[in-house]
Amino acid sequence: LVGIYFLSPDIDEADASGWMKSNQDTPFFRKITSTLFRKPYFSRANDELGFRNQIENFYYRMSDVTHTKGVEFSHRRLADPGGVTFNETTFRELLAVLEDADSLVATAFVLHSPVLFVPLPVSEKFGLNRPVSGFYEEGQVNFLRKMLDPKTVRVLDEISAADPDAQSVKEHFASLPDITDDQIQEQIRRDEEFMQRFKPPRGMESP
């Protein structure tokens, strides 16, 4: 959420730069959520999914553990009092927390950048030299969708289908020619040539 907050157009670039350089404190959680949920897509997710409550409930639940809110949230309850052993109950609780965190973070990123929910033919168009980031192929989008409940998927589908930037990117990809086999072979040749620069001199190879 902090990253999405600083990527917001209404946040001063100097503030974002100061935070990245560790010269500025991280904004309080309330300030971050208040800023994000003024955005149309976050506001809609809150109206239809109660997304703000989901994030806040998760945050305060983790805060109780981090700050040890009594025995119930301490390591004594989570760990086996008999010693350092595998505790299946604790392990399952941890997995459930990780799943909740993944779902919330994934939803927030799609609300920030709806193009993440639009499958794009990246490999077919660019081969090995893919764009740096921000574009998912069909398999990646399908994996992302499996992390979310059906109602969240529906809302994000509707948002991404109506988002002008996401649809513009989709149309641009569709307009590009598919990369040819010869072009892929040329990419492989150049990659191998580039990697040769990092090979140790003859006689200095690792044993």
Side-chain angles (χ1 to χ4, degrees):
L1 291 182
V2 176
I4 295 174
Y5 169 84
F6 279 118
L7 287 171
S8 302
D10 50 345
I11 299 302
D12 190 88
E13 186 175 337
D15 290 339
S17 177
W19 178 78
M20 285 292 293
K21 296 176 181 177
S22 302
N23 295 326
Q24 187 163 310
D25 293 338
T26 300
F28 288 120
F29 176 70
R30 282 287 185 183
K31 181 176 181 180
I32 291 174
T33 53
S34 294
T35 299
L36 292 182
F37 282 93
R38 287 198 296 266
K39 298 175 179 296
Y41 295 156
F42 277 85
S43 178
R44 175 176 174 181
N46 189 46
D47 291 341
E48 299 191 32
L49 304 170
F51 188 50
R52 182 167 185 169
N53 284 338
Q54 292 181 41
I55 288 179
E56 291 180 345
N57 289 340
F58 182 83
Y59 175 85
Y60 291 118
R61 178 157 57 103
M62 293 300 96
S63 180
D64 288 342
V65 175
T66 302
H67 299 288
T68 314
K69 183 184 176 182
V71 175
E72 181 65 20
F73 296 94
S74 72
H75 74 281
R76 292 181 60 185
R77 189 190 71 81
L78 296 174
D80 189 334
V84 182
T85 60
F86 175 76
N87 186 313
E88 182 179 350
T89 300
T90 299
F91 182 71
R92 291 186 180 279
E93 286 186 19
L94 175 61
L95 287 180
V97 167
L98 291 175
E99 288 178 355
D100 288 345
D102 286 346
S103 174
L104 293 172
V105 170
T107 301
F109 269 107
V110 175
L111 292 172
H112 172 70
S113 182
V115 72
L116 293 174
F117 230 50
V118 178
L120 299 168
V122 182
S123 296
E124 290 91 332
K125 304 300 182 180
F126 293 95
L128 303 178
N129 296 339
R130 302 161 56 91
V132 175
S133 66
F135 304 122
Y136 284 173
E137 299 194 74
E138 184 175 3
Q140 294 170 305
V141 174
N142 288 340
F143 181 80
L144 182 60
R145 295 168 70 92
K146 290 178 181 178
M147 296 168 58
L148 309 172
D149 64 83
K151 189 174 181 180
T152 300
V153 169
R154 176 186 61 77
V155 171
L156 296 182
D157 269 336
E158 293 174 357
I159 287 175
S160 62
D163 181 73
D165 291 335
Q167 293 308 307
S168 176
V169 170
K170 181 179 180 180
E171 292 170 4
H172 175 68
F173 268 78
S175 71
L176 297 173
D178 288 355
I179 192 168
T180 66
D181 289 341
D182 288 343
Q183 289 173 321
I184 292 178
Q185 291 303 316
E186 177 62 15
Q187 289 179 345
I188 294 173
R189 185 191 68 77
R190 291 183 178 181
D191 284 351
E192 291 177 344
E193 186 179 87
F194 176 76
M195 293 305 297
Q196 287 297 320
R197 303 177 187 177
F198 302 97
K199 290 188 65 175
R202 186 178 298 275
M204 298 182 64
E205 298 88 348
S206 300

